[in-house]
Each structure stands twice: as structure tokens, then as C-alpha cells.
Amino acid sequence: MAHAKESFISKYIFSFDHKMIGKQYFTLAMIMGFIGGILAVLIRLQLGFPSQPWPFLENLFPVGMASGIMTPEFYVSLFTMHGTIMVFFLLSLLPVSGFGNFLIPLQIGARDMAFPFLNMLSFWTVVPGAIIIIISFFVEGGAAASGWTAYPPLSAIRSAIPGSGAGQTLWLVGMIFFVASFTMGGLNFVVTILNLRTKGLRLMRMPLTTWAQFVVGILGLLSFPALAAGAILLTFDRSLGTSFFLPAGIFIGDTLMPHEGGTPLLWQHLFWFLGHPEVYIIMLPAMGFTSDVLATFCRRPIFGYRSMVYAIMAIGTLSFLVWGHHMFVSGMSPFLGSLFVVTTLAIAIPSAVKAFNWLFTIAKAKIRFTTAALFALAVVSLFVTGGLTGIFLGTNATDIQLHDTYFVVGHFHFIMAGAGLFGAFAAVYFWYPKMFGRKLNERIGKIHFWITFVAYYAVFFPMHYLGVAGMMRRIYDPNVYEYLQPLQPVNLFITISAFVLFAGQLLFLWNYFVSMRRGETATGNPWDAAGLEWSTPAKPGHGNWEGDIPEVHRWPYDYSRPDRKRDFVGQWES
Amino acid sequence: MTAAVSGAMADRRQVNRLGLLVGLGGITMLFAAFTSAYIVRSGGADWVALELPPILWLNTVLIALSSGTLEAARRAFRAGRLASFRSWSAATAALGTGFLAGQYAGWLQLNEAGVFLQSHPKSSFFFVLTGVHGVHLVAGVIALLALFGLAATGRLVPGRSDAPALTAIYWHFTGGLWLYLLAVLSLLG
Ligand code: HEM
Ligand SMILES: [Cu+2]
């Protein structure tokens, strides 16, 4: 399998090697995440210091920050693009496309993904998508401004607001590239996992990370087409005069729009049929990473492996039955609403199973507090915090009060953004040695962890309070409402914490790039971990194993067996 | 899938086939989403019925025939009769192209009757559904032409290549999809 000589282009650009493709996704996602982070900082800048001039920013955004003061239109574009970039281009690309590609063949004992060419193609399909999304900031009218959810009519009528024009068009085009790429990737995941497992690797011996990626592949394949359908219909409404989503009687300025009879709710259904599974596309890999990392550093078998697998499946299935909880206030029938309450709260059961299994794994363990372990422990914390607030949002009676307030922003930054982000960090610190043959610096890593963890809570925890106090989400300047003015100190505190949070990530970037060349060199199995991926050489070449692919004899969590001398038994050992 | 399926034994054929089936699952979801949008929208007050252009029935016959000719092509390939395979796959591509032309003629007939994309929701759905289906069929025609080209230049080896069988699955799927869409368009709303 190993190729003797590869040109630069076939090795680094149009590589077929799943590990290189994984790293390519990784790099792209980090760039996008960095941009998304800057957008978050700008959002917080406005909320912490409403409408203050920052003259130097005028150079970068001459229209949006004319004379240094943020315009409301620009603010709207900022949160729209922040959400879009973070959800799709950071937290779907990095844990799923990045780590999925990198890890699946290593964890199941395959030389590569089932369709290496398709894999390469899917990466080069998402790149133009990302570029288009970024470029959209600089077109006439600025970037899309209808929220990451792209609700019509703002997203459907080109003249509605500045961002509804070229910016929204580019948003749609960029997302179509993303969807095409992501579904190709999902197809590859599913087929690879079903067909290319090495001898002895029964499904019920797979690491939970791979289990998660498997279910994520299925979720992507089943849910993204709904978004594609919605995007196609929306494009027709925007450009060809149809009325799928647009009702009669919409005025833009003084002009009556020609549309008739459409319903914006239709878009909400299509969008959230994707949107809710999408949050599990972000969550499930983070849960998988957490399980693998915790087991390794607690030196314990993961508690309740089978129930973990069934919980992943249950969450995946239920995620298709709950989308209506985003629409409680849309005027849906209260009866239907109650059904969605039931399905939503049912997800609490498999979620609690996961949380308790982690706690039982941790309980009384002698934890090795590596950076990866700390981030994994933080996932458990964030997951519980976000899960508890989810109960209030998933119940229609309470959601009617909390909907579209900062309570929601707090909630989803814990459960989705937070767990996703911290899970990704746990994974990076854990698998970095396999990616680059060196370790990340642990001392810097721990500083990075504590800044991130404390600042994260400082940013997002007070948002629950803001929401209960009535501060609405997506608001440009809360101070126009007298009753919100007393909350300004809280907003200032959040903004300063957000700056700290962002600065902490620079530490990570530094660590990431410097360690690549100067980090402590790692052996093939630096953590004494039992998963199959650790049986490869420190820097596996194309084809992964030098000799034959090892046979698998056991599950990946064989730690601290009383009958063995060493405290772990690798999956590849008989 | 059971434990018996393992990397060492997994055969390329099975991998490709599963990949195709999973991909078809995605396409199915796309049309399922369109269908649910169609049903929701058909409850609107402005929904009016649409007289489907009669040529659609002819098109349906064409595409049904094309599934037959492709089956013949697939069998010929399996039996190693490459010349016969070439003619049957060419016939299939021709029937598929005929179908596409017929669909386009259907659009023109509607336009002549004064029905356009924007006219009313059902007409909008008609154009969108036939259009998106047509795009999938174009992909099938391209695949057939590619097979024909490969066979003509001797690069398609019976017993080794699975491509004709895969193309056949895809083609039958798009044919079935058309029957489904026709049923939706004529029976629902
Ligand atoms: C770096 C730390 C982050 C900060 C300081 C931050 C801050 C914010 C703020 C202030 C908003 C605007 C809320 C509103 O007005 O409704 C927002 C929205 C949002 N954020 Fe973040 N965020 C961060 C990270 C993330 C991450 C990692 C994700 C990944 C999933 C994410 C996803 C979203 C989404 C989906 C929205 C909603 C956008 C919309 O309303 O259309 N954020 N964020
Ligand atoms: Cu949801």
C-alpha cells in the first residue's frame, strides 16, 4: 500500500490518505473557528459597550463599522455568520469530518476509508463553501442577516434588509457546498464502518468514538437532505417568484410583494428537521471522545458500555422526532406541542444514562489529570448544566416565557457549543501524538484549560440570568429598553470574560503549531491506551500498519484487569 | 451486518453496493422532504389543481422500457457479451434522453396552456419536482454513456467491473422515483 514517492501535491493537497484529509479538515475548521471567534468578540463588543466608536475597526469594515460605530445591520450579519460558521464549519467539520476521517480507519483496523477518492472530493467540495461564506462579508449589503436558521421572509425576499441580497445568496450557495460535502462524508463513514472492520472487531467491540461517528454519518445522510430541499425551494422563492414560504401581503417599504399563500412555517419545519439532528451531529462525537478519554485516564473500563451504545442509538433516533420544540411559539397546535414535549423529554433518558455512566467511570478512580482528561471532565460538567436548562426549554409551558431570550443563548452554548468545543479539545490533546508524532505541551495545555473553563462559565452562565430577566436574543442594543438598562454591568462582565476566553485560545494555537515541531516526541502509545489506533507506529504512514492489520481480540476499554500485570491490555493483544 | 464481515474479507463489490444504497437513502430523504413540503403547502387556500400534460404518460412508458433495456444490458454484461451490452446500454441512454426531452416538452405544453413556475403552488412544485428528478436522471445518462465509452474502448471487463450493475440499480431507482412522483402529482392535491 505504501507509496514509495509522493509528490507534494499528491501528499498534501489532493491526498487520498484519510489521515491527511482529516488534518486538512482540521486546518480548515481551525481557520473558520478562529474567524467565528472574532465575530463573537465583535458581537460582545457591541453588547458590552453599546454603540461606542472603535475607529480602527472602520478600516476592516468600512460600511458595517462606519466611523467606528457598529450598525444594527452589521450586528445582525455578525451573529448570523458567527452561528453558521461555528455550527457547520467548526463544530461539524472538526470533530466529524476531521477526527472522523482521521480516526475511523485507525480505530477499526482499516487501511483507509471505503472511498478514498470520494473522501478527497468531499474535502475539496467544502473548501469553496467556506471561501464563499467568508467572501459574503464583503459583497454589497454585507453577509446574510437572517440568523443561522435563515428564516423567511428575511431570507426569502432579496430587498428585505441589506443582508437579504447577495449575502443571503452566497450563504445558500456556501451551505449547498457544505451539505454536498458532508453527505459524501457521511456515506463514507457508514460504509467504512460496516464493511472494513478488521478481523475480530465486532460492532460491540468498537470504541464509542467510532460508534458516535457511525450514528452521526446516518444522521447527516437522513437530515441534511431536508435542508437541501428547503434551500432549493428558498432559492426559487428568492429568484424565480414562487411562493413556497412567502404569504400574501408582505410590504417592503411601500412595495407590496407579489407573493401569495406561502407559509414561513414550512421552512421552520424543514430547517429544524435538520437543525435538531445537527446539534447531535455536534454532540455525539464529543460524547464519544469523552468516553474514550475518560476510560484511558481513569484507567477504568467505561462503565455500562452496552448501555452507552444503546444510548447513542436512542439519541440518534429520537433526534428526528423533536424538531417541533423549536417552534412552540410559532402558533402550532398546543396538542402537537405537547407531543414534542414528550419526545424531547424522552431524550433526557439516554442522556442521563450517558452522564451517569461517565460518573460511575470516574467515581473512585485514580484519575491521571492530563489536559485531555480535564477537558473530558469539563464536557460532563457542561453537558449536565446544558441538559438541565434544556428541560425548561423543552417544556412548552416554560419555553413560551424563555423563547428567544438569552436563556436560550446560554443553554445552547453549554450543551452544543460548549460540549462540542471542549470535546474537540479533549480529542486534540489526546490524539495529537497520533497526528503529529509529538505531544502538545501539557503545562501550556493546563493553563489553556483553566482559562477556557473558567471564562466559558463566566461568559455563558450569567446569560441564563439575563434571559430570565427578559433580555431578548439577537438584540443589537438592549439599552433601548429601560428595564434592561440595569443589566448593563452583567453584559460588560460577559464581554470582558469573552475577551479572556478568546485570548486563551491564542495560547492553544501557539501550543498547536509550536508542538508540531518542538513538542516532546511521542511513542506509538504514549498514554498506555488500549484502543486499536494506538497499535500503529508513532507516525503511521499511508496504510497505517506496516505489516498485516492486527486482529482484534477484545473491546477497547480493558484497563486495570486484576488478572494481568500491566494495567491495560490493548485490543490487538491476545 | 455481522461479525463475519471484516476488513480482510470485505469484498469491493459489497462495499460499492452498500455505498450506492446509502447514497440512494440520502436521495430518498430529499424527495421525502419535498413530499412533506408538498403536503403541507397543499393545505393552503391558494392551492389549485393542475391538469398534468398528457405527454407524461408517454414519458412514463419510455422510462419503464429503459429499465427493461438496461436489465438486458446488465445480463449481457454478466454473460460476457460486450457487443450486446453496448447496444442495450446505448438504447437505454437513448430512452432516458427521450424521457428527458419528453419532460421538457411537458413543461412547454404547460407554458402554452398559460401555466408557469410562479402561477400557483402546485405548478411550482410540478416544475421543481420534475426538474430535480431530471437532474438525477441526467447523472444516470452520463453514467451510461461513460459505461458505453469504457466498453467500446475495452476497459470494461466482465467479471471484474461492477459498474454496470451499480448503474442499473441507480437507474431503476430513478425510474421508480418517477413513478412515485407521478403518483404524488396526480393523486395528492
Ligand atoms: C468563543 C466563544 C463564544 C462566544 C463569546 C459566543 C457568543 C455568542 C453571542 C453573543 C451570540 C449572539 C446571541 C444572540 O444575540 O442571539 C451567539 C450566537 C450563537 N452562537 Fe456563539 N459564542 C461563542 C462560541 C460559539 C460556538 C463554539 C458555537 C458552536 C456551535 C456557537 C454557536 C452559536 C449560535 C448557533 C448562535 C446563534 C446565532 C443566531 O442567533 O443565528 N457559539 N454566540
Ligand atoms: Cu432541538
Side-chain angles (χ1 to χ4, degrees):
Chain A
M1 254 325 227
H3 303 289
K5 261 210 194 98
E6 289 170 309
S7 71
F8 178 83
I9 292 197
S10 70
K11 180 148 184 225
Y12 293 106
I13 313 284
F14 296 114
S15 172
F16 282 14
D17 182 353
H18 69 100
K19 296 186 294 303
M20 181 52 70
I21 295 175
K23 288 184 204 170
Q24 288 173 329
Y25 271 117
F26 220 89
T27 312
L28 177 68
M30 288 203 342
I31 295 171
M32 295 302 278
F34 188 75
I35 296 173
I38 291 179
L39 302 184
V41 165
L42 288 171
I43 298 172
R44 285 314 315 179
L45 192 68
Q46 162 66 16
L47 292 176
F49 310 91
S51 304
Q52 268 190 39
W54 307 93
F56 63 98
L57 286 176
E58 193 183 353
N59 304 326
L60 200 57
F61 302 105
V63 183
M65 305 276 309
S67 61
I69 300 178
M70 191 179 291
T71 63
E73 290 80 11
F74 187 55
Y75 180 83
V76 182
S77 290
L78 283 178
F79 72 66
T80 298
M81 300 310 283
H82 162 74
T84 305
I85 288 176
M86 289 302 203
V87 170
F88 297 110
F89 289 88
L90 173 65
L91 287 187
S92 304
L93 277 197
L94 196 144
V96 181
S97 311
F99 270 117
N101 273 314
F102 185 81
L103 285 177
I104 289 173
L106 293 174
Q107 290 195 328
I108 66 166
R111 301 251 182 235
D112 207 320
M113 299 295 279
F115 304 108
F117 177 77
L118 192 71
N119 210 10
M120 188 267 291
L121 195 67
S122 87
F123 175 72
W124 287 106
T125 308
V126 81
V127 171
I131 294 175
I132 289 169
I133 289 283
I134 300 302
I135 285 181
S136 75
F137 269 99
F138 304 99
V139 296
E140 170 97 42
S146 52
W148 80 283
T149 49
Y151 279 8
L154 281 190
S155 60
I157 299 180
R158 299 157 85 78
S159 51
I161 45 173
S164 307
Q168 189 72 48
T169 304
L170 292 185
W171 187 92
L172 279 166
V173 177
M175 283 306 298
I176 284 170
F177 276 104
F178 179 88
V179 170
S181 156
F182 205 74
T183 38
M184 284 188 246
L187 191 158
N188 229 336
F189 282 21
V190 172
V191 177
T192 305
I193 293 173
L194 283 182
N195 273 348
L196 299 191
R197 277 169 289 126
T198 184
K199 206 156 172 216
L201 186 57
R202 295 198 292 269
L203 283 176
M204 276 301 179
R205 279 179 175 175
M206 289 201 308
L208 290 167
T209 295
T210 293
W211 262 112
Q213 302 285 14
F214 177 59
V215 174
V216 162
I218 297 176
L219 293 189
L221 275 161
L222 296 183
S223 65
F224 271 101
L227 181 67
I232 291 171
L233 299 182
L234 190 60
T235 307
F236 275 83
D237 271 8
R238 289 173 58 76
S239 308
L240 297 166
T242 54
S243 301
F244 292 110
F245 303 123
L246 290 168
I250 298 182
F251 279 89
I252 301 295
D254 293 333
T255 340
L256 177 65
M257 293 287 119
H259 302 279
E260 232 177 314
T263 159
L265 283 187
L266 179 55
W267 169 267
Q268 296 195 16
H269 283 293
L270 289 172
F271 181 86
W272 286 113
F273 187 79
L274 154 86
H276 194 87
E278 167 63 20
V279 313
Y280 285 103
I281 288 174
I282 292 177
M283 283 292 306
L284 288 176
M287 293 170 154
F289 303 152
T290 302
S291 303
D292 283 10
V293 169
L294 282 182
T296 306
F297 294 113
C298 294
R299 311 310 292 168
R300 280 275 193 91
I302 193 80
F303 190 91
Y305 171 81
R306 272 180 180 272
S307 63
M308 286 298 223
V309 172
Y310 294 137
I312 293 175
M313 293 181 188
I315 290 173
T317 312
L318 284 170
S319 74
F320 284 106
L321 305 175
V322 301
W323 78 92
H325 63 212
H326 297 273
M327 300 169 62
F328 286 144
V329 300
S330 68
M332 69 160 56
S333 128
F335 174 71
L336 192 58
S338 307
L339 282 185
F340 280 119
V341 172
V342 173
T343 52
T344 302
L345 296 187
I347 290 199
I349 300 168
S351 307
V353 166
K354 301 213 71 115
F356 280 113
N357 281 341
W358 287 327
L359 293 179
F360 286 132
T361 306
I362 300 165
K364 293 201 204 137
K366 281 210 206 71
I367 306 177
R368 293 184 188 164
F369 285 103
T370 58
T371 312
L374 290 171
F375 273 106
L377 289 168
V379 171
V380 180
S381 158
L382 295 162
F383 182 65
V384 171
T385 309
L388 291 177
T389 53
I391 294 176
F392 299 97
L393 296 171
T395 310
N396 45 4
T398 33
D399 181 61
I400 288 174
Q401 174 68 23
L402 297 170
H403 183 85
D404 257 340
T405 68
Y406 258 76
F407 191 89
V408 178
V409 181
H411 159 73
F412 71 68
H413 279 94
F414 273 98
I415 194 88
M416 168 182 68
L421 192 69
F422 281 65
F425 278 132
V428 176
Y429 281 95
F430 187 58
W431 279 292
Y432 189 91
K434 193 58 48 191
M435 295 172 72
F436 298 108
R438 290 172 188 273
K439 280 188 178 177
L440 283 166
N441 183 306
E442 278 285 311
R443 176 147 356 129
I444 303 178
K446 285 191 181 134
I447 301 173
H448 169 229
F449 168 77
W450 284 109
I451 294 180
T452 309
F453 185 67
V454 174
Y456 206 86
Y457 263 90
V459 170
F460 294 108
F461 207 72
M463 287 188 185
H464 299 103
Y465 171 71
L466 292 179
V468 174
M471 178 170 157
M472 48 298 254
R473 132 182 215 204
R474 295 176 170 173
I475 188 174
Y476 161 70
D477 182 358
N479 291 337
V480 296
Y481 297 100
E482 206 172 318
Y483 77 99
L484 290 179
Q485 284 165 8
L487 298 176
Q488 188 51 33
V490 183
N491 270 317
L492 182 62
F493 171 79
I494 293 178
T495 292
I496 291 170
S497 309
F499 293 169
V500 174
L501 180 58
F502 184 80
Q505 306 320 305
L506 301 179
L507 214 56
F508 169 75
L509 287 182
W510 192 72
N511 196 355
Y512 186 88
F513 288 109
V514 172
S515 300
M516 232 182 253
R517 307 183 144 251
R518 293 209 221 126
E520 182 194 332
T521 43
T523 61
N525 188 3
W527 312 113
D528 290 339
L532 183 62
E533 71 270 30
W534 301 105
S535 67
T536 58
K539 276 189 80 173
H542 197 172
N544 299 335
W545 285 270
E546 268 149 20
D548 290 342
I549 298 182
E551 195 173 323
V552 162
H553 302 278
R554 59 192 67 252
W555 71 332
Y557 303 109
D558 239 344
Y559 293 104
S560 304
R561 287 252 305 244
D563 55 335
R564 300 269 184 141
K565 258 211 253 103
R566 210 175 43 172
D567 77 342
F568 77 100
V569 191
Q571 271 188 296
W572 58 95
E573 295 173 82
S574 47
Chain B
M1 287 305 131
T2 57
V5 183
S6 68
M9 293 181 284
D11 136 44
R12 197 64 225 171
R13 198 169 284 245
Q14 189 182 344
V15 170
N16 290 340
R17 199 156 291 209
L18 183 63
L20 179 65
L21 291 181
V22 172
L24 296 183
I27 300 179
T28 305
M29 282 310 286
L30 179 69
F31 283 90
F34 278 131
T35 310
S36 70
Y38 180 95
I39 292 172
V40 169
R41 192 65 181 80
S42 68
D46 60 336
W47 186 269
V48 288
L50 173 74
E51 188 81 34
L52 294 183
I55 193 171
L56 295 191
W57 302 106
L58 176 65
N59 300 345
T60 309
V61 172
L62 291 185
I63 198 148
L65 283 179
S66 78
S67 267
T69 52
L70 190 53
E71 243 344 81
R74 197 178 62 83
R75 297 228 170 116
F77 184 75
R78 246 208 339 227
R81 289 180 276 116
L82 271 179
S84 157
F85 168 74
R86 280 207 306 269
S87 9
W88 283 117
S89 53
T92 312
L95 284 169
T97 313
F99 172 85
L100 289 168
Q103 296 288 87
Y104 185 65
W107 287 8
L108 295 182
Q109 283 183 358
L110 276 185
N111 288 353
E112 267 160 36
V115 179
F116 296 89
L117 172 71
Q118 312 90 321
S119 300
H120 53 80
K122 176 134 191 195
S123 73
S124 305
F125 270 109
F126 177 82
F127 283 98
V128 170
L129 291 177
T130 50
V132 177
H133 173 260
V135 170
H136 284 86
L137 207 79
V138 169
V141 172
I142 292 176
L144 281 175
L145 293 180
L147 284 184
F148 182 85
L150 288 175
T153 51
R155 275 178 292 171
L156 203 62
V157 187
R160 271 224 250 125
S161 172
D162 204 22
L166 294 172
T167 311
I169 296 177
Y170 179 80
W171 189 268
H172 297 324
F173 172 82
T174 45
L177 186 58
W178 169 247
L179 294 183
Y180 167 76
L181 292 177
L182 193 64
V184 167
L185 287 167
S186 46
L187 300 178
L188 290 180

